[in-house]
Amino acid sequence: MDVIAESAKLHSQAWSDQSRFTECLEQAAGLLKQAYESGDTSSLLINNYAAVLLDLHRDFDALELLRLCDPDFSEFCANYAIAVAKAAYDIDLIRHWNQAASKYPKDERAIVAYMDWQGL
């Protein structure tokens, strides 16, 4: 099974069917956690796992996870900025990661967490 594809599908389902939101995100988190604990520490897996955790409001867990590896694509930096904003509101770090997100290439398989920036 392709964990990245399956987790992205579950993430999409969560946002398209609010009645199954938590169920789908928990299922995606479980798949990603299992892959991570089995030794997959790729940036893409960590990014997607962190995005799902952020959408489940496990902000500090997501921030710690993102700190484990260096970003190599835009969505990773965007999730890093979101994690900082939600877990440890540090405006300088938020700006840093938002600027970094504009410099890195995109990865079409990467999930970006939802963030209500206007609500801050």
Side-chain angles (χ1 to χ4, degrees):
M1 169 184 19
D2 181 357
V3 173
I4 298 298
E6 185 63 24
S7 63
K9 179 180 165 188
L10 287 164
H11 187 264
S12 179
Q13 286 175 349
W15 285 101
S16 64
D17 182 357
Q18 291 291 306
S19 69
R20 297 188 58 225
F21 183 81
T22 303
E23 173 191 346
C24 289
L25 289 180
E26 289 289 357
Q27 195 173 356
L31 289 172
L32 293 161
K33 179 181 180 181
Q34 184 178 26
Y36 177 73
E37 290 177 347
S38 295
D40 186 345
T41 57
S42 67
S43 290
L44 183 58
L45 184 120
I46 289 173
N47 175 79
N48 288 2
Y49 187 18
V52 170
L53 292 174
L54 286 165
D55 284 340
L56 286 167
H57 303 292
R58 297 182 193 151
D59 308 326
F60 289 99
D61 293 339
L63 184 58
E64 287 304 312
L65 185 64
L66 288 164
R67 286 181 174 157
L68 295 177
C69 76
D70 293 322
D72 55 9
F73 52 89
S74 178
E75 295 83 357
F76 189 106
C77 298
N79 281 328
Y80 216 137
I82 292 167
V84 171
K86 291 179 73 179
Y89 196 80
D90 179 331
I91 195 69
D92 291 330
L93 269 178
I94 294 167
R95 284 186 182 129
H96 168 79
W97 288 110
N98 278 334
Q99 289 171 351
S102 68
K103 296 176 185 174
Y104 282 88
K106 300 274 185 197
D107 187 317
E108 65 209 25
R109 299 173 302 151
I111 298 170
V112 177
Y114 173 74
M115 179 68 195
D116 179 10
W117 289 103
Q118 293 179 347
L120 285 177

